[in-house]
Amino acid sequence: MTYTNQRLAYGNTLVALGKENDRIVVLDADLAASTMGKLFEAAFPERHFEMGIAEANMTSTAAGLAQMGFIPFTNSFAVFAAGRSYDQIRQTIAIGCLNVKICGSSAGLSDFGDGSTHQAVEDIAIMRAIPNMTVVCPADAIETEKITRAIASVQGPCYIRICRNDMENITSEDDPFVLGKPSLLKDGSDYVIFATGVMCSVALKAAESIKNHSVRVVNVSTIKPLDRAAVIEFVRDMKGVVCAEEHSIIGGLGSAIAEALRRECKPIEFVGIEDKFGCSGHNYPELLAHYGLTEEHIIEAIESFERI
Amino acid sequence: MDRNELISMLETKAKKLRRGVIVSIGVGLAGHVGGSCSSADIVSALYFYKMHYDPKNPKMKDRDRFLLSKGHVAILQYTALAEAGFFPYEELAHTKEIGSMLQGHPDVQKTPGIEAGTGSLGQGLSIALGMSLGMKLDRIENRKVYVLIGDGELDEGQNWEAAMACAAHKADNLCAIVDRNRLQATGKIVERFPIEPIDKKFEAFGWNVIEIDGHNMGEIIDALDKSDSVKDKPTVIIANTIKGKGISFAENVVSFHNGILSEEQYQQALKELS
């Protein structure tokens, strides 16, 4: 079945994984109805653990399950998964390189109504800075399924960041997926956009509608480890680089790309959230626009290179 | 071995553990003397009486597990692991050296026999719960997870999240031991940050509570045995101890939480523990 919501894709993939592998276990912190952990709970009640509204304990409990040879997935909103449980992830999971998968659900601004307390705009930066951690952010629901499967199959801690809201699919079931490999969504010869998550579809629209420039779009769904050689190859002969993410411009995809390109002498622009917290909005597109995460902002970033 | 012989053997081991701690710390470098010595009798009873494990096969599935939530006394656990045969005793002299398998706090990747990365206080009980749940899923019967928690460490809120969760999940294969030495890093707990009544708190959270003298070996082994027959709830053993126990100049002295031994103190400690 093709989903158009990353949470549904994630939750159903957990169920599919649970059928294939009895070492998969899932933990929720009273948000199973939102994270879609409830699907796993219904299918495998013995292997789903309700941990109450206590993310720190949930995260270290997952460490203990991993030490028993299980593959635990912990679910919560990204602000809590990456923020409230930061120390538990660092101390009890990442230092030991334990096989725990942390799902940051309702990431970015996607929990539009709840405001800054519930909008993770710095989770990629936090997770990316932790040694041993893999950080993934799927572009759509189809890729969410593939990425969930991929992180279940690799040893070590992984952080997966997914969106709350319905979105269009821009990848297809048949596209090959390799964890760690940035993938070409559209080719072009003047500029390249590296995008992650929901910004992939925005970047595609920008690349298709921009006048007078040929723009390549690359989906970076594995933010860490970042395939530096592939990133360098994608920017060869390009006049400039735009990074687009629903995240602070500090420490996220843009920072990772800039680190990778540190010897390439290419101008880089960042389309992201400018060192601000989120706020409440009536709908998701309105909020993305408020924070400058639109097709027009990406086009403006590209055109700014022409004025250099 | 009859009971008296057992107790005598465990007391001798505990003394040896304290000695190992002093040797590991050495002269002129800070080390957690106080909390190691307060926990030594409990750790002796666990490693040399109660727990089932194979030092030659540290990952053996059918084993009891010991987690040191008060990870700062890693040297005590290292000494117990060496004494139990997980690695040569000589390794202790290399504690905290760059590249050593014996880090300042327990590291699951570096040290055989270490079950959990601890040191950021208040997290061991949660990890223990994960192991308890895992043992139940794997139908591992008659095995337990033991977790040693400092009384000062109970300030950390995660302990109480975990305490609730252990009761909610009926973790009767989990036994927590609180080393109640009544001192924290900066002074007496009762003066710095009062946390009593510990027993009533755990009771209210749904635990089976046993209180003992943490330096009376008979009471320690009886409490550990008693916890085996409790069903559907976790057990906490509140062990009343003396920080620095066994070393006269360190007993109940706050500064030996993470103290530096002079050459003279080092020699005296070894003499008292011989």
Side-chain angles (χ1 to χ4, degrees), chain A:
Chain A
M1 174 161 182
T2 303
Y3 301 100
T4 53
N5 180 293
Q6 292 190 326
R7 289 184 292 143
L8 275 175
Y10 171 76
N12 281 288
T13 306
L14 288 185
V15 174
L17 286 166
K19 285 179 187 153
E20 297 161 20
N21 185 348
D22 65 6
R23 305 310 285 175
I24 302 273
V25 294
V26 175
L27 299 90
D28 270 283
D30 199 35
L31 287 171
S34 175
T35 65
M36 296 299 154
K38 69 175 182 182
L39 301 174
F40 193 93
E41 183 176 11
F44 306 104
E46 269 210 345
R47 282 191 274 145
H48 180 274
F49 300 104
E50 174 54 59
M51 300 308 294
I53 310 162
E55 297 79 9
N57 177 58
M58 171 174 76
T59 303
S60 297
T61 300
L65 280 157
Q67 281 293 75
M68 292 299 295
F70 289 91
I71 306 172
F73 281 74
T74 63
N75 301 331
S76 189
F77 287 179
V79 274
F80 311 129
R84 192 152 191 152
S85 308
Y86 164 74
D87 188 56
Q88 289 70 25
I89 294 170
R90 179 189 193 278
Q91 308 284 359
T92 66
I93 294 174
I95 289 179
C97 203
L98 302 191
N99 202 17
V100 178
K101 316 302 168 185
I102 300 142
C103 179
S105 199
S106 289
L109 302 167
S110 67
D111 185 6
F112 53 85
D114 279 331
S116 56
T117 55
H118 284 56
Q119 293 162 350
V121 297
E122 74 281 36
D123 54 324
I124 296 175
I126 297 167
M127 290 296 110
R128 201 169 72 84
I130 300 176
N132 291 337
M133 184 64 72
T134 293
V135 180
V136 294
C137 180
D140 59 16
I142 289 174
E143 199 178 45
T144 300
E145 185 176 344
K146 295 175 188 171
I147 249 176
T148 305
R149 286 187 164 279
I151 61 172
S153 69
V154 296
Q155 172 67 38
C158 300
Y159 176 71
I160 174 171
R161 175 188 219 244
I162 57 176
C163 178
R164 183 185 187 90
N165 305 310
D166 291 350
M167 56 166 67
E168 60 179 315
N169 280 308
I170 54 163
T171 66
S172 85
E173 313 273 359
D174 305 327
D175 291 341
F177 175 80
V178 182
L179 191 68
K181 289 279 171 205
S183 58
L184 189 67
L185 292 174
K186 175 193 170 300
D187 211 355
S189 52
D190 297 330
Y191 294 100
V192 57
I193 307 168
F194 291 104
T196 194
V198 70
M199 292 307 286
C200 287
S201 68
V202 180
L204 265 181
K205 287 193 190 100
E208 278 154 11
S209 65
I210 194 168
K211 306 270 190 308
N212 306 324
H213 304 294
S214 169
V215 177
R216 173 182 286 171
V217 181
V218 178
N219 169 17
V220 188
S221 51
T222 308
I223 296 169
K224 187 188 171 191
L226 187 63
D227 184 342
R228 187 179 178 196
V231 170
I232 290 172
E233 196 51 40
F234 277 126
V235 304
R236 191 181 302 281
D237 303 323
M238 296 287 155
K239 292 192 281 182
V241 178
V242 174
C243 301
E245 62 192 311
E246 185 197 9
H247 183 273
S248 170
I249 60 168
I250 298 172
L253 171 71
S255 300
I257 294 290
E259 289 157 17
L261 296 178
R262 60 189 175 268
R263 298 186 64 127
E264 304 308 310
C265 299
K266 299 276 180 186
I268 304 182
E269 262 306 332
F270 303 111
V271 174
I273 298 165
E274 296 272 353
D275 195 18
K276 280 181 188 151
F277 286 112
C279 68
S280 291
H282 285 153
N283 61 61
Y284 188 34
E286 170 190 79
L287 206 54
L288 291 173
H290 179 73
Y291 283 94
L293 305 177
T294 67
E295 193 182 321
E296 293 72 31
H297 288 91
I298 293 175
I299 291 172
E300 167 54 27
I302 292 170
E303 287 177 344
S304 73
F305 291 132
E306 297 286 324
R307 299 193 291 268
I308 293 173

Side-chain angles (χ1 to χ4, degrees), chain B residues 225-247:
Chain B
D225 288 343
K226 257 192 250 170
S227 76
D228 292 342
S229 55
V230 177
K231 292 290 164 221
D232 293 333
K233 51 161 79 172
T235 290
V236 59
I237 299 170
I238 299 173
N240 293 305
T241 61
I242 295 167
K243 205 160 178 176
K245 173 76 177 176
I247 302 170

